[in-house]
Amino acid sequence: MPRKRTVVIGRDEQLELLDGAVSDTGDTGSLIMVRGPGGSGKSALLDAAEKRWSKWGVRTFSIAAVAAPRMFDVLFDAVRLRIDEQQDVPWPPGMLEAVAACTQLRPRDRKGAEHNLLPFGYELTRALAHLAHRERIVVLIEDVDRLDRKSALALSLLVLGVRAAGIVVITTGSTHHGVLEQFVRSADVTMDLPPLRNADIVALLSRWAGMSAPVDPTVTNALLAGLGPLFGNPGTVRSTLRALRDEGRLVLVDEHVCLRPAGEPVALADDHELLAAVRDCGPGGAAVVWGIAVLGEVAVHDLPMLAVAADTDLRSCGRVLDRLVRQDVVRDQDGVLRIPVPALGVALGRAAVRPPRTVHAAIVRYLLDRIEDGAPVDRAVLAHHSARAESEFGHRGPVDTLIDEADRMVDSDTARAADWYRAAVHRLVGADRRWAGLLPTMLRLQLSAGRQHELADDLSAVASTLLAPDEDGTTSVARSAYPVSGDALLFEVTVWWGAALLHEQRIAELRDSVRVFEAVAVRRGCADEVRRFSAAVSRGESREVFSAFSALITAGTAEPGTTGDLRVHSLGALLSLMSALDGDDNRFQRARAAWEASAPGELTGPEATCLRDAVGVGDYAAVLRLLLGRHYQPHREGALHRYHHVVSAYHSGDWDTALSEARALETGRGPTHTGPTHHLARVIAAEICSARGDFDRAERWLHRVPPLAYGHLASWARCGLLHRKGRTAEAVTVGRRDYERYRDHGTVVGSERLLARLIDYSLRLDDDAGARGLFDELRALDERVRTGSSREMVLITGGALHADVGSLRVGVELARQRGDAYRVACGCAVLGALADDPQPWLHEGYALTKRFGSPVGRGVFTDLMRASGVAPPRSRSPRSVLSTTESTIIDLVSDGYTNRQIAIAMQVSVKTVESRLTRLFDRTDCRSRVELAAARLEGRLVRA
């Protein structure tokens, strides 16, 4: 059986101090007070210390602080048990007298307990003193702050007596209880446990999650954001993880513990002491804290507003608030009240009687009443709460304020103005003529704020009210719902609605927008285009939908001029350009010219090249950012935004981040994960796992990608996996077939990745003719698409095929400028085999593959260096297997042993231990003892 190890991470200093007190062989004992808030790890620290000391022959008596008679009784039982274990030892008469006296004085009822408490404590002190003459004794007493004052006094007398007998006494307690002070005053050492460092908490997350897998960074980030200053509190983190696991929010994705749904905040566990402190204040406590959580922050002079939010009177609110501030549940920072732990607000929100919109509505009514009374009111505050309130209040006041304040903020804070315009649009009814003017501005601001998902929902609601069945069952525009002046505004609303749906890849929902287009198609002169658009939507072909939609816009806006500031004609040119991005260069250049004519100066030469390269990997967030510039701000939790980070991290070589973002897409908010960005992210994740030699994970990622979907990129990853599994000939056969299918279908941009991979594999199979034929295809592709990526592949692949070092150098430099680290590494491998001085190329490639975390790639460069006689760079990566001695040292480090204690345990010198630890740090890439212990916990170090 493996030995049971005790690991306490982040408490080396505290363990050293406790060890020093216990190791002292003097006759004088000591009293150590260990303080720290609940969950700070006091019990874990003492538990680890007790197990360490037992190996040194130290006898530990550990008791919990309860009412003094019972506490003394438990300690006496422990003493008697120790005496019984050593019946062959001749005990002095004084010891036996003390034990007999304790037996006689031990309480048999409550009255007797109170009467005999001090004599019982005195005799128990004598017994412990005699025992301390035979062996080292440590008495651990936890949670002394929970004692009543009489029990605390009796315990203090006992502690003073046993300390004088040479016994080390260690007591624990929290930092905010009055009883604790008498022990603090008597203590020789008061040890305050600081919060654990973030790195220490992260090292422990895998163990605490209880799922035998590493924790994804998204979980760590969610805990950091939700727990704030309590992230360093081990008990809080453990209880939060336990609650998340019980709720089913911790799931295994790609062999990592992930949070579902990604981006949703975490809540404190129901039994957390902060929630207990709030409940102790009664219903008013929860209402006040929940009110602050909804409002975000509250200035002290705005307490009447907080009282309204909490649905209580001002006096009660102030009294409860004072108590909450004293207990640090709420913090007063320069006159502003905040909740330092956001997860507390989330937990309270789950049980809140008043949902957030009801709280905002109550504040709006309060502010409106103040206006009627003639009191000054901040109109921006009224607009803020009006936008979030659930009711419409039956009059125009909040709507007028929303519009006026949005007009005032439209240039300085577009996101807030968009919120307020949106709330106003949803509240305008019937004959209100402002609707037609507000809607275009709201659309523009929503797009600028990157809220395409929200915009699609808004326009779905607005556009659906514009449709009504005629008597004959056909659909027409319902004029009574909103005051639509002509068909121009309706057409523009529907265009932007369709654009938002396309952006969010909600192709199925476009069927509703088709109905609106059909209602105005004849009058706008675009009936044929509507039919083509409808057919494309019915088939669900994204590329054709884009093309048909751009044609529909062009036909529907044949006459110059636009309504408001929507610039529908520019949108048509934009969509035409996007539909042309994955085609040949001539078509792209025509679409680019149309876009530049409608939006002059928006797209420069280098950006055009980046556009095409982004489309080659399906990164439409990068495409829109390049086309819309500062007007495009994607939602951080959106699928396009996350996939953009997958691609960026992959190209830069930060593959761990790329995989984390791919896993976050798998745990998103959507009910299914079948959108294009999800599949493309799976392809990139599969390629990373394949390149790292983790073939099972790669296959699981690819299994979720439809066999014929996402073209050349999926085939590129599948062929790479086949080759790395030793099936190179099959990879070439499958890849050729796939390339020809996608080429004939017209999807060509980005396929240079697949072609370059097939050329490399053909050369490995000594199929020079096949490689040259594929290279001809690659050159033809480059002539057709003229992208930066295709040019690099022609240079690098051609250089490998024709042993042209100059071509290779240029290709690698272009890839380096574009930030494609994997392509640079591939070029370095070829240059390392062909260049006169291969060392810099081989060392650079080795460093890159190390950054990728790819042992397969490092092996390739190691073989090349060996064949070329190049000395490998100094390696700091861990070996796969540790020796028995090294494993023992890491075990002892994990147990918290000092170098001196390790040397004693292993019967070697301290210098030998230091030397071995230095080598271990170097080989494992660990910078400290904590990281070494964490590496063992996470399974990164393998025992021989």
Side-chain angles (χ1 to χ4, degrees), residues 741-754:
R741 177 190 298 122
Y742 303 130
R743 177 197 61 193
D744 296 342
H745 187 265
T747 306
V748 292
V749 171
S751 55
E752 68 277 357
R753 294 174 180 271
L754 175 58

Side-chain angles (χ1 to χ4, degrees), residues 87-396:
Q87 293 182 355
D88 56 339
V89 175
W91 296 101
M95 173 65 153
L96 300 178
E97 290 173 3
V99 170
C102 285
T103 302
Q104 184 176 3
L105 292 170
R106 73 184 303 173
R108 292 177 174 80
D109 54 44
R110 183 175 179 83
K111 182 177 180 181
E114 293 178 356
H115 180 72
N116 295 330
L117 183 59
L118 293 179
F120 184 32
Y122 170 75
E123 297 297 341
L124 181 57
T125 302
R126 287 181 59 204
L128 284 167
H130 281 290
L131 194 59
H133 287 302
R134 297 292 183 92
E135 56 188 346
R136 282 184 294 174
I137 300 292
V138 175
V139 178
L140 305 180
I141 309 172
E142 295 194 59
D143 302 322
V144 295
D145 52 311
R146 297 181 180 179
L147 294 173
D148 58 80
R149 292 193 175 275
K150 185 173 182 179
S151 297
L153 176 61
L155 180 61
S156 296
L157 295 175
L158 178 96
V159 167
L160 292 174
V162 298
R163 180 177 64 176
I167 294 174
V168 175
V169 182
I170 302 175
T171 59
T172 73
S174 299
T175 57
H176 54 271
H177 291 80
V179 171
L180 202 66
E181 293 307 312
Q182 65 190 77
F183 290 95
V184 172
R185 287 193 295 269
S186 303
D188 299 294
V189 176
T190 298
M191 180 192 302
D192 289 305
L193 288 188
L196 286 181
R197 296 182 309 151
N198 287 0
D200 298 331
I201 292 289
V202 171
L204 290 162
L205 286 180
S206 294
R207 185 205 304 177
W208 291 344
M211 299 176 72
S212 302
V215 172
D216 189 84
T218 54
V219 180
T220 306
N221 293 337
L223 291 171
L224 273 166
L227 300 181
L230 288 186
F231 184 75
N233 184 286
T236 296
V237 177
R238 293 185 70 171
S239 65
T240 305
L241 283 171
R242 183 192 67 241
L244 290 171
R245 189 171 62 246
D246 293 343
E247 295 167 12
R249 290 196 61 195
L250 292 185
V251 294
L252 279 177
V253 178
D254 184 39
E255 301 179 5
H256 283 71
V257 179
C258 298
L259 191 64
R260 179 178 61 189
E264 187 171 301
V266 301
L268 287 178
D270 290 339
D271 59 352
H272 194 272
E273 64 176 8
L274 272 184
L275 281 166
V278 172
R279 294 183 186 114
D280 288 345
C281 295
V288 168
V289 178
W290 173 234
I292 298 174
V294 173
L295 300 179
E297 61 181 38
V298 179
V300 172
H301 59 77
D302 283 335
L303 284 187
M305 186 185 298
L306 177 58
V308 171
D311 195 22
T312 185
D313 62 273
L314 183 58
R315 183 176 181 181
S316 299
C317 178
R319 185 171 59 252
V320 169
L321 195 58
D322 287 341
R323 180 174 176 179
L324 292 170
V325 170
R326 284 197 303 272
Q327 294 181 329
D328 202 32
V329 177
V330 176
R331 286 186 183 172
D332 182 352
Q333 297 174 322
D334 300 324
V336 178
L337 301 171
R338 295 184 177 89
I339 301 175
V341 181
L344 172 61
V346 177
L348 291 173
R350 294 178 174 180
V353 177
R354 309 177 84 197
R357 291 185 179 275
T358 303
V359 174
H360 288 295
I363 294 174
V364 170
R365 294 189 187 94
Y366 163 76
L367 295 174
L368 291 175
D369 289 342
R370 286 181 57 84
I371 291 174
E372 290 181 0
D373 293 340
V377 167
D378 188 332
R379 300 283 175 161
V381 173
L382 175 58
H384 169 79
H385 293 291
S386 296
R388 288 163 173 76
E390 66 179 359
S391 62
E392 297 177 8
F393 309 104
H395 52 80
R396 293 159 57 106

Side-chain angles (χ1 to χ4, degrees), residues 610-622:
C610 295
L611 268 178
R612 303 271 269 167
D613 290 333
V615 169
V617 290
D619 186 5
Y620 282 95

